[in-house]
Amino acid sequence: MRTLVAFAPLLAIALATPLLTAAPAVAAPVRAVVAPLVAGQPGGGQPGAPAGAPQPGPTVFVEVSPSMVEPGHLVGLRASCHDNSVGAIVVSDAFGRVAVQPQRGLLTGTAMVKERVLPGNYRVKLECRGGETASTMIQVVRHMKPSRGPATGFGGGAGNISASLLLPGGLALTVTGMVLWVTATRRRGSRR
């Protein structure tokens, strides 16, 4: 029994060796079948696609940054058509018609949201010269007043009552300090 246990690893290796030597012969035809189906190679991308078939172009899209804005502010536009070498038009009720121009492989531009536009969600539509379209949304919000910071001292967080007392109080302390200094100086001079 011990002899059989001692030879078990050698037996496993001996049985696996014919499979390992046969594996490359089996795997080689599989690689030949898979290789032409890789995207970017002739006939690749989709199984059964004929050689020389047109590959899908860039995605058609439009983006607005920021997507939430107050009336009267600028937004950045970034878009893409199938042909980004020519300009396109972006249209929205929030800012009107704006041309986007080719830049670094994309179409870019800026638009100013109208001052009198009402708060709400507005559609932004890209109209490419090739007839493609894409759309996104922009949210116009009311003018927001900046929030006050925490009242942590006199650095702008003080209320109106405290702020009106700062100058007179500081002046009174300064005058009191000078009177005390003059009085102390005279007393020293009279003692000598």
Side-chain angles (χ1 to χ4, degrees):
M1 187 72 147
R2 288 185 179 173
T3 311
L4 187 58
V5 171
F7 288 110
L10 294 176
L11 183 61
I13 293 172
L15 290 174
T17 304
L19 295 175
L20 292 176
T21 57
V26 172
V30 173
R31 275 191 233 122
V33 172
V34 173
L37 299 178
V38 177
Q41 294 181 356
Q46 299 174 0
Q55 297 296 320
T59 305
V60 178
F61 68 88
V62 62
E63 295 175 348
V64 180
S65 177
S67 61
M68 185 185 306
V69 68
E70 295 177 11
H73 284 77
L74 281 174
V75 292
L77 302 172
R78 192 171 149 237
S80 178
C81 294
H82 288 304
D83 183 9
N84 286 338
S85 65
V86 295
I89 301 293
V90 176
V91 182
S92 177
D93 289 339
F95 50 76
R97 294 177 64 85
V98 176
V100 287
Q101 300 299 324
Q103 184 178 12
R104 297 185 182 144
L106 290 174
L107 302 171
T108 61
T110 58
M112 179 167 298
V113 176
K114 297 174 186 175
E115 282 284 342
R116 297 186 184 263
V117 71
L118 296 174
N121 294 322
Y122 293 88
R123 183 175 178 214
V124 178
K125 183 179 178 186
L126 169 68
E127 298 173 351
C128 300
R129 290 200 182 168
E132 310 93 42
T133 62
S135 66
T136 189
M137 298 298 285
I138 183 172
Q139 184 179 9
V140 178
V141 295
R142 297 177 196 257
H143 289 288
M144 296 181 291
K145 293 180 182 177
S147 62
R148 288 181 56 189
T152 59
F154 297 118
N160 291 337
I161 296 172
S162 300
S164 63
L165 293 177
L166 284 178
L167 184 62
L171 187 61
L173 285 174
T174 304
V175 169
T176 304
M178 289 187 72
V179 168
L180 290 174
W181 177 73
V182 168
T183 305
T185 306
R186 283 188 179 175
R187 285 186 183 174
R188 282 187 191 164
S190 65
R191 287 183 185 172
R192 289 183 183 183

